[in-house]
Amino acid sequence: MWRCLVVEDDADNARYIATGFRELGHVVVICRDGMEALGRATGEPWDLIILDRMLPNEVDGLAILSTLRGLGKKTPVLVLSALSALDERVRGLKAGGDDYLTKPFAFSELAARAEALVRRSYPAAPLRVLQIADLRLDLASRQVERGGRPVPLQPREFRLLAYLMSHPGQVLTRTMLLEAVWDYQFDPQTNVIDVQVSRLRGKLDVGGAPQLIHTVRGIGYRIAADPEP
């Protein structure tokens, strides 16, 4: 779970973004006024700021961004704007934006970009072994065991399982998995993830072992010893 500040004067857009992130378990605060947004962006800790360009009273969101960076704040900022020209995108990035997404947009893409920004801003300490219940994955040797029994995996299966186990208990959307494991080589509507998860379960859940990879209907998957999020 992370804290996200959404600076967006369009009520429908703000509600759409906030609802989506809250459904993923994140805390979202909406600001529709430039001055309020500047105060909250610089005065409170955030894991991510989603910043619209065109705000009331002819305020350009990039002015907020420049102030934020001038104060040494390194909070990841995703600029969200209807200004789609190449020069405008370049301006947004040069002003200190970490990413720039143009309107209209799909929430799945916004969520994937946001996840990537937050993930990069909090690099995890290097782990050699991941473990959930009796499932053990060694990142160095690339060996997997369940209840002491070796589980042979294909490279893609190993990568998928490692990503799931690196986020224990967290709901991972199909778009997140595509980005992390398949590098967006497939359309998000493809069933490649579901097929791969099914194969992975077939190798892990043998001999009556309880299922560890749980389906979150309409969203994606989570790995945990307990079936309920």
Side-chain angles (χ1 to χ4, degrees), residues 83-158:
L83 301 174
S84 59
L86 176 60
D87 288 348
E88 296 295 346
R89 298 200 301 273
V90 170
R91 282 188 62 204
L93 296 173
K94 284 188 173 182
D98 297 279
D99 200 353
Y100 194 108
L101 181 62
T102 58
K103 301 176 182 179
F105 60 92
F107 178 77
S108 59
E109 181 178 7
L110 175 64
R113 288 175 181 245
E115 172 73 17
L117 291 180
V118 174
R119 187 169 62 244
R120 287 199 296 265
S121 68
Y122 292 99
L127 295 175
R128 183 176 183 272
V129 176
L130 303 174
Q131 183 153 356
I132 295 177
D134 61 347
L135 176 63
R136 184 177 185 275
L137 182 147
D138 191 315
L139 292 167
S141 66
R142 301 183 69 82
Q143 299 297 310
V144 176
E145 295 180 354
R146 178 84 193 266
R149 175 186 62 86
V151 181
L153 298 179
Q154 296 297 319
R156 187 76 69 179
E157 295 170 337
F158 182 89

Side-chain angles (χ1 to χ4, degrees), residues 8 14 30 53 59 76 98 131 136 138 143 188 205 217 228:
E8 169 64 78
I30 298 172
R53 283 285 305 271
V59 174
D98 297 279
Q131 183 153 356
R136 184 177 185 275
D138 191 315
Q143 299 297 310
D205 306 336
R217 189 177 300 276
E228 296 298 328

